[in-house]
Structures are given as structure tokens and as C-alpha cells.
Amino acid sequence: MSNRQELIKEMIELQKKFIDYEHQNGLDPFDYYTPKPGHPLEGYRQKYQELANKLVDTAHAEVGSER
């Protein structure tokens, strides 16, 4: 499995966890943007953004372009 596929798989897993949380608990914007320590969404946005950036960088590297 390519690095790109692994990144996509990890992003999808994060999305599934987020959707499950949202369906069970609803979503308070404060919990999404500024979750308290220990909250299930703590670090979610940062981790997802990190994976998305790696995916973009990987795709650019594969085709020889840059941002």
C-alpha cells in the first residue's frame, strides 16, 4: 500500500470516529475548535490537518510539482 493510500485510510478512520461522536453527542462548536483536555475531539483538527498536508505534499512529490 502506498504512503498516499495509508494517509487516506487514516484520514477516513478519523472522519468515521468524528461522525460517530457527532451522531452520539451532537456537536458543540466549542468542543470542535477548543476542546478541553481529555475530550474525545482533543487534537482531532490538528491531526486531520497534518494528515491532509502530508497527503498534498506526497501527491506533489509524486508528480514533481510543488505548492
Side-chain angles (χ1 to χ4, degrees), residues 39-52:
H39 191 281
L41 295 179
E42 179 182 23
Y44 168 80
R45 287 185 324 111
Q46 294 83 356
K47 180 66 177 175
Y48 194 86
Q49 186 64 50
E50 174 188 322
L51 292 170

Side-chain angles (χ1 to χ4, degrees), residues 3-67:
N3 187 38
R4 206 165 74 180
Q5 289 173 322
E6 290 172 19
L7 289 169
I8 292 169
K9 183 178 178 181
E10 192 171 349
M11 290 173 74
I12 290 171
E13 287 301 315
L14 277 174
Q15 287 177 329
K16 286 179 183 178
K17 289 178 184 179
F18 175 82
I19 290 167
D20 287 343
Y21 175 84
E22 182 183 21
H23 286 169
Q24 293 174 7
N25 304 294
L27 185 61
D28 182 336
F30 288 104
D31 292 338
Y32 180 76
Y33 290 104
T34 56
K36 294 184 169 121
H39 191 281
L41 295 179
E42 179 182 23
Y44 168 80
R45 287 185 324 111
Q46 294 83 356
K47 180 66 177 175
Y48 194 86
Q49 186 64 50
E50 174 188 322
L51 292 170
N53 285 334
K54 283 183 185 178
L55 182 60
V56 169
D57 292 341
T58 301
H60 277 294
E62 286 180 6
V63 298
S65 62
E66 55 186 64
R67 287 188 194 214

